[in-house]
Amino acid sequence: MPTSTEGLRQKLKIEGNTWLMIAAKCRHKEYLKDLVMKDFDDLADFLLGDKVMGLQVSTPDGNKFRLDPPLAVVLSYEFALKSVAYRRALEEECGTAPHTFSKALKEVNEDTELKDLYFTNP
C-alpha cells in the first residue's frame, strides 16, 4: 500500500502496465480494447490533482482552504473508482453496446455521485 502521493502514482503506473500486458494477451476481450497507459496516468493526475488531493473549499470570508484529505481516504476512493469502472466495462460487454475499460475509467473520474459516496462522505 502506498505511503505517499508519489507512491500512489508509481502503483498506478505498475498497475497500468499490468493491465496493458493482460490486454495484449487477451486480445479477444472487447472491454480491454483501446486501453493505453494514458488512462492510468489520467487517473493518477485526477486523484493527485485539484479535484481530490488538492481539493479546496471556500470559507465564509471568501478565502480558499485546502482540505488535504488523508491518503487512506484517497486510496479507498481510487479502489472504488477502479472497481466501478471494471464492473461497468464487464456489464456492457455482456450487453449490446460495447463499453471499454478505458472509457469507463474516464467516466468514473467525472461521476459526481461516486465522489459523494466514496470520497466526500465516506
Side-chain angles (χ1 to χ4, degrees), residues 16-85:
N17 284 324
T18 303
W19 274 108
L20 291 175
M21 285 187 272
I22 292 169
K25 187 170 183 171
C26 303
R27 294 177 190 208
H28 62 283
K29 298 289 187 184
E30 286 294 318
Y31 65 92
L32 293 176
K33 291 189 177 181
D34 303 328
L35 191 63
V36 293
M37 193 62 208
K38 185 175 181 336
D39 298 325
F40 292 91
D41 291 339
D42 289 346
L43 178 61
D45 291 341
F46 170 73
L47 291 169
L48 301 175
D50 293 339
K51 294 186 179 180
V52 179
M53 279 299 285
L55 186 65
Q56 295 183 358
V57 295
S58 296
T59 59
D61 59 356
N63 293 328
K64 296 279 186 177
F65 176 74
R66 187 177 161 136
L67 291 180
D68 286 327
L71 189 60
V73 172
V74 175
L75 292 174
S76 174
Y77 180 47
E78 175 246 351
F79 178 76
L81 288 178
K82 291 186 302 188
S83 297
V84 169

